[in-house]
Amino acid sequence: MDPVTVILTIFVGLTGLVYFFLRREQQKWPRLGVPFAKNPHLLFGNVRGIFQKEHSCEILQRLYWEFKGRGLKLGGIMNFFQPAVLVIDPEISKSILVKDFNKFHDRGIFVDPAGDPLSANLFSLEGAQWKAMRTKMSPTFTSGKMKYMFESVLNVAERLKDYLAENCLKEDIELKNILQRFTMDVIGNVAFGVECNSIKNPSSEFRLMGLKANRFDGVRFLKFFIGGAYKNFAKKIKLKVVEDDVHKFFMSLVHSTVHYREGNNVKRNDFLNLLMEIKNKGKFSDEPNSGGEGITMNEIAAQCFIFFTAGFETSSTTINFCLYELANNPDIQDRLRNEIEDVVAKDGGELKYDTLLGMNYLDRVVSETLRKYSAVDNLFRISNSPYTPDGCNFTIPAGTLFQIPIHSMHHDPEYFPDPGRFDPDRFLPEVAKSRHPYCYLPFGEGPRVCIGMRFGLMQTKIGLVTLLRNFRFGPRSETPDRLQFEAKTFVLTPQTGIYLKIEPIGI
């Protein structure tokens, strides 16, 4: 047989095997009797819209309404060539996140502490390792510890105010970029003890590395997919989700900062200092693979890294979306500013942590912002045992990815009438009680609820209070009537910059 014939035979054979594998995976839901989304693409499944410049929230929303229109509680989809389940019923969401948590305690994300130390963070860890790390980390996010970090955040907010006061009358000022620099400075300060000052110096190495760490291009997406779906294979090929230069920068930063503080007895009111205290304490767990005593330097670096990458983008976009809505709803903006001034005046004119907690309308405004623009559009868990949902006559096998489309639920008129309207009074106590509690999940819920929720809300509210006390925001000719979302981002992000009219108040 000549070489060309051999090559063609091998190619045809491999193509046939791949085709057989893909079709067999797509027949999983019909074989199990699970209702499924129609017409999946051979390679991209039901999510090919990602390659048509759609954000995943829009893709999942279409699937959500397809299943809900058929009266289903959940449905099978193809996440590329990985079978997954999309949850529609908030009662099933409650089961996954709380009631049956023992079956759904992992997210199914790639973790390799040895080959990729920064991947071994609280967001990604699984099983006993996650439980032990959560136990160690929980004391660092109490209300008392938030007070501990409050002044650091407030100081950065003052720098943001000063920068805007100097530049707010310029035509080209764009809020998405500036707010990103604000939250990056906040978390750089409290997580790494670094005064990166990217508000004034947007070209700082810290900011550039932070942006690269959060970049979600095709290569990064492929790494996440392979690492999550084929973990053993990913470890064998020594896959690294974090790029080498980003890994080197953040590991070096944490190691050098910790060594300097310990060598010079430096203490700061920040997250890193709390982790250093944990490092020098005894065991928190006797379970296998619990991480040993205290916390290692690599574990400190991994927790600082996820605190930074998960925190700066989510909070900056929340402030950004909120200001956009306030600019387009001046009555809400005026009502909120009046509350801020009244509450601060009653506390001696100074913004304090307890003062911030007393701003009820601010809390509702932020909640409505997170409802309309949830930073993460879906929650995901992977089952570790077969699961038969309540009211269903089929069983879903272990190892299946379950996705809870929180953006879709947040825009479902059954739970939030006229969902496109910005209305903070949806979160009045008596109104909120009338809804199913698991149709609003901006931070998740249950034992794996976002551990940084208090901090994220604190820096978001400090940023908003500081800005609204000193500036009035309104739309400009460039301000879009309806926001479009950037497709290649994990965190919900406006596709273009947001330009608003910014008028100083009493500065």
Side-chain angles (χ1 to χ4, degrees), residues 372-390:
K372 194 171 178 183
Y373 306 100
S374 46
V376 178
D377 68 292
N378 75 101
L379 308 174
F380 44 95
R381 299 287 189 271
I382 197 159
S383 59
N384 58 29
S385 60
Y387 180 65
T388 303
D390 288 344

Side-chain angles (χ1 to χ4, degrees), residues 6-7 18 31 101 128 181 204 314 440 479 481-482:
V6 171
I7 292 171
V18 170
R31 287 198 308 269
F101 177 76
R181 283 147 56 188
S204 68
T314 52
Y440 178 70
T479 308
D481 293 330
R482 183 175 179 273

Side-chain angles (χ1 to χ4, degrees), residues 447-463:
R448 216 154 177 165
V449 66
C450 175
I451 195 172
M453 176 176 66
R454 280 195 181 97
F455 183 85
L457 289 172
M458 180 176 75
Q459 72 168 337
T460 296
K461 290 178 178 180
I462 288 175

Side-chain angles (χ1 to χ4, degrees), residues 162 260 374:
D162 293 341
Y260 176 80
S374 46

Side-chain angles (χ1 to χ4, degrees), residues 48-64:
R48 56 181 150 184
I50 287 173
F51 297 97
Q52 297 166 352
K53 298 184 178 179
E54 282 188 299
H55 191 274
S56 61
C57 73
E58 295 162 319
I59 298 165
L60 293 181
Q61 194 159 24
R62 276 202 307 276
L63 293 165
Y64 176 88

Side-chain angles (χ1 to χ4, degrees), residues 398-472:
T400 301
L401 179 71
F402 284 71
Q403 292 179 261
I404 300 172
I406 57 177
H407 177 91
S408 303
M409 290 183 178
H410 290 182
H411 288 78
D412 188 336
E414 179 184 345
Y415 311 123
F416 302 97
D418 191 9
R421 182 168 56 91
F422 188 80
D423 181 12
D425 286 342
R426 298 180 198 273
F427 291 91
L428 284 166
E430 61 272 20
V431 178
K433 282 180 183 177
S434 68
R435 287 191 297 268
H436 195 293
Y438 284 79
C439 67
Y440 178 70
L441 299 166
F443 294 98
E445 194 48 85
R448 216 154 177 165
V449 66
C450 175
I451 195 172
M453 176 176 66
R454 280 195 181 97
F455 183 85
L457 289 172
M458 180 176 75
Q459 72 168 337
T460 296
K461 290 178 178 180
I462 288 175
L464 285 169
V465 167
T466 302
L467 292 175
L468 291 169
R469 293 189 75 193
N470 294 282
F471 305 95
R472 180 174 286 106

Side-chain angles (χ1 to χ4, degrees), residues 320-335:
N320 201 9
F321 287 130
C322 187
L323 291 176
Y324 168 80
E325 290 291 346
L326 293 175
N328 287 297
N329 294 276
D331 53 331
I332 296 176
Q333 182 179 164
D334 290 342
R335 180 179 172 185

